[in-house]
Amino acid sequence: MNKISQLFLVSLMSGATTLGAYKIFFDSNAPFSFDKKPLTTVASTSYNRNVGLSSSVLDFTEAAEKTVHSVVHVKNVSRRTVSNPMLEYFYGYQGGQSQEQVGTGSGVIISEDGYIVTNNHVIKDASEIEITLNNKKSYKAKLIGTDSKMDIALLKIETTEKLPYTAFGDSDNVKVGEWVLAVGNPYNLTSTVTAGIISAKARNLGENGIQSFIQTDAAVNPGNSGGALVDTKGNLVGINTMISSTTGSYVGYSFAVPSNVTRKIVEDIMEYGNVQRGILGVEGGELNAMASKELGVSQTEGFYINRVTKNSGAEKSGLQKGDIIIKLDNQNISTFADLSGYINTKRPNDNVVVTYLRDGKSKSATVTLSKNEFFSTEFKGIELENIEAADKKKFKLDYGVKIKAINNENLAQYASELKGNIILSIDNVKATNIESVSQLLSKKDEGQSIRIEMVNKSGEIIRIII
């Protein structure tokens, strides 16, 4: 009997040991479970975010439905006269044959009474503009105004109907990684919707550093120009403008003019008939590791002021050479594109709070923006200013900067010949306007020679090296 009791007790102990080991090592809730999640996993829901492409997480249908009806097809008809050299040679025929050229793109209705935004290059040189809505109705459009620098144009169609339109969103608040839709008419395929994410903001693609694009990987092709870039709520955050491609077709990068810049241009055209540009009044360049090392500063992000324009708002507010701008109002400034992109949303006499570093200490100043027409720059004793409408008409130009005064003693004897001339290029870089020229010259030393191509007062092209 004792042996039976002992066997029973041993069996009972073995069973308990086995059950205990199972609970310790194999139960998913046990502290030493092999199925236990790693300790680095954060369980708190406040740190977890759903990531995925399931319909419960992401749905583009509402944004697409709202946008396709407000995106239009833009047809640009232009005419040019083509001469026949054979007829001219043998028969003295001096006439020419008129040929019609047709270009197409997209546009976005921004008001129920028929105002439409598109790219300037979509309607450039058009003698006739035709708009086709998503419901196939067509209208003749009137060109209200353009901004060639930012590649934006405003059109208007007349209709008694209330048109569907897309409301402006706040492009300053879009975030890298945020989903967006590109809506347009690529290759004449109407109402095409593609999806992607914001790849970068304040992307600078030009040598003059004026543009500040939103970059996205949403597929954009020829014909998408002027179309809408919208967020998942259907709000307009950009106007699709260009692609970066060696083939001419989409290869992964596309760019849009931010909606805040577009809205400001449209409002200016409506209110003033032209674009009102405000100027901060500083020249310089963006910082990086190499530039910071050369300048002897520890800061590697921001805009380094190399020169403050006389009588500008920046000078009146106490900004100095050597200051590093790191913020405008609530917008962080890391690059020149950040700075120019934000200033492009402002007008003359607007106030901007500038946060800057001086001797390692953070300071701030309120700067009243100057008017672009009064902005001038000086290099090597040559003072330059933007050309006026009369100059453009006289010399048949749409770009260039004018020599306002000669303060260089070595050039004093040539002052009468040079004053009033219009500079077309500097070191083979197109002198678009004072802003682009200032940015170009800020990278050059006073002792470095430069090659200038200009038009003199007689309309002759001359080239000099100074």
Side-chain angles (χ1 to χ4, degrees):
M1 190 69 179
N2 289 335
K3 291 183 178 180
I4 294 174
S5 299
Q6 290 174 357
L7 288 173
F8 177 75
L9 183 60
V10 169
S11 299
L12 184 62
M13 292 292 291
S14 298
T17 301
T18 302
L19 179 61
Y22 172 81
K23 293 294 289 181
I24 291 174
F25 291 102
F26 295 99
D27 190 342
S28 60
N29 294 320
F32 297 102
S33 169
F34 294 115
D35 294 333
K36 189 87 174 162
K37 293 181 179 180
L39 294 177
T40 53
T41 300
V42 180
S44 173
T45 56
S46 64
Y47 290 93
N48 286 339
R49 298 186 67 180
N50 291 327
V51 178
L53 299 177
S54 67
S55 59
S56 61
V57 177
L58 201 60
D59 187 355
F60 295 137
T61 56
E62 182 180 352
E65 177 66 21
K66 286 173 63 177
T67 309
V68 291
H69 299 295
S70 62
V71 173
V72 300
H73 183 270
V74 181
K75 180 180 176 182
N76 167 356
V77 179
S78 60
R79 294 177 177 83
R80 67 170 185 169
T81 301
V82 180
S83 61
N84 188 323
M86 296 296 289
L87 290 176
E88 292 178 1
Y89 181 78
F90 288 107
Y91 303 104
Y93 180 70
Q94 297 298 317
Q97 184 178 4
S98 178
Q99 287 188 350
E100 184 179 275
Q101 294 181 316
V102 177
T104 60
S106 304
V108 186
I109 303 173
I110 57 169
S111 67
E112 64 181 15
D113 58 345
Y115 281 99
I116 296 169
V117 172
T118 186
N119 285 143
N120 180 61
H121 76 260
V122 170
I123 53 83
K124 187 177 180 180
D125 301 325
S127 56
E128 184 179 299
I129 302 171
E130 183 180 286
I131 300 297
T132 302
L133 307 185
N134 192 53
N135 62 9
K136 310 304 180 186
K137 292 183 178 180
S138 294
Y139 301 88
K140 298 296 182 185
K142 178 183 178 182
L143 177 61
I144 304 300
T146 66
D147 181 3
S148 59
K149 186 169 87 169
M150 300 306 296
D151 199 12
I152 293 294
L154 180 64
L155 311 175
K156 179 72 165 63
I157 60 175
E158 298 299 332
T159 175
T160 56
E161 301 179 33
K162 289 186 177 181
L163 300 175
Y165 65 94
T166 296
F168 282 96
D170 187 348
S171 56
D172 287 340
N173 287 338
V174 298
K175 295 179 173 58
V176 173
E178 182 178 336
W179 281 97
V180 286
L181 300 181
V183 185
N185 305 286
Y187 301 116
N188 283 324
L189 299 172
T190 58
S191 304
T192 298
V193 180
T194 56
I197 62 169
I198 300 292
S199 304
K201 294 175 64 178
R203 185 68 82 195
N204 173 21
L205 302 179
E207 293 180 352
N208 53 28
I210 294 172
Q211 293 281 18
S212 182
F213 290 98
I214 292 174
Q215 180 183 332
T216 174
D217 66 352
V220 171
N221 280 292
N224 268 112
S225 291
L229 187 71
V230 300
D231 59 22
T232 53
K233 297 178 181 178
N235 297 317
L236 187 69
V237 295
I239 298 295
N240 297 315
T241 299
M242 67 173 68
I243 58 177
S244 178
S245 170
T246 56
T247 64
S249 298
Y250 173 77
V251 292
Y253 304 100
S254 57
F255 304 92
V257 178
S259 61
N260 286 3
V261 175
T262 304
R263 182 172 189 167
K264 185 259 181 186
I265 292 170
V266 167
E267 290 174 348
D268 281 357
I269 292 173
M270 286 181 173
E271 186 173 351
Y272 304 103
N274 55 33
V275 180
Q276 304 289 299
R277 301 201 189 281
I279 296 297
L280 192 62
V282 296
E283 299 173 31
E286 62 185 63
L287 292 175
N288 52 42
M290 184 178 296
S292 298
K293 185 177 180 180
E294 291 178 356
L295 293 167
V297 297
S298 58
Q299 182 80 8
T300 56
E301 288 187 324
F303 182 84
Y304 181 87
I305 299 177
N306 191 47
R307 181 176 177 271
V308 179
T309 306
K310 293 179 182 179
N311 300 319
S312 67
E315 184 186 57
K316 294 174 182 177
S317 297
L319 293 179
Q320 301 174 7
K321 178 180 179 179
D323 291 344
I324 301 170
I325 298 175
I326 57 174
K327 186 180 286 189
L328 295 177
D329 292 333
N330 294 319
Q331 297 296 316
N332 292 326
I333 303 299
S334 298
T335 65
F336 179 72
D338 288 330
L339 185 143
S340 63
Y342 189 74
I343 294 299
N344 279 334
T345 66
K346 301 297 180 180
R347 297 184 178 89
N349 299 320
D350 282 352
N351 291 325
V352 176
V353 178
V354 179
T355 304
Y356 60 96
L357 299 177
R358 180 182 293 171
D359 300 325
K361 297 180 180 179
S362 179
K363 299 177 179 290
S364 64
T366 300
V367 177
T368 301
L369 301 184
S370 312
K371 194 170 183 179
N372 185 46
E373 283 72 11
F374 301 134
F375 182 45
S376 64
T377 190
E378 185 174 328
F379 185 77
K380 291 192 173 186
I382 301 176
E383 189 175 352
L384 307 172
E385 63 181 355
N386 282 319
I387 59 175
E388 300 174 349
D391 296 319
K392 293 180 180 180
K393 184 177 181 180
K394 177 181 178 181
F395 296 105
K396 297 180 180 179
L397 297 171
D398 59 0
Y399 72 96
V401 294
K402 190 175 183 178
I403 298 178
K404 182 179 181 181
I406 300 294
N407 303 316
N408 187 327
E409 292 181 1
N410 297 326
L411 297 174
Q413 58 182 320
Y414 308 108
S416 60
E417 298 175 25
L418 293 174
K419 188 176 178 181
N421 290 358
I422 296 174
I423 295 176
L424 303 177
S425 68
I426 298 174
D427 285 343
N428 295 320
V429 178
K430 190 175 180 180
T432 307
N433 51 36
I434 283 295
E435 291 163 289
S436 63
V437 169
S438 297
Q439 179 68 9
L440 173 64
L441 294 179
S442 68
K443 300 175 182 177
K444 298 183 180 297
D445 298 326
E446 283 287 339
Q448 182 179 356
S449 63
I450 58 174
R451 184 176 183 272
I452 296 176
E453 181 180 77
M454 66 179 77
V455 176
N456 65 17
K457 293 181 282 289
S458 300
E460 300 169 328
I461 299 290
I462 59 175
R463 298 174 180 86
I464 63 172
I465 298 176
I466 60 172

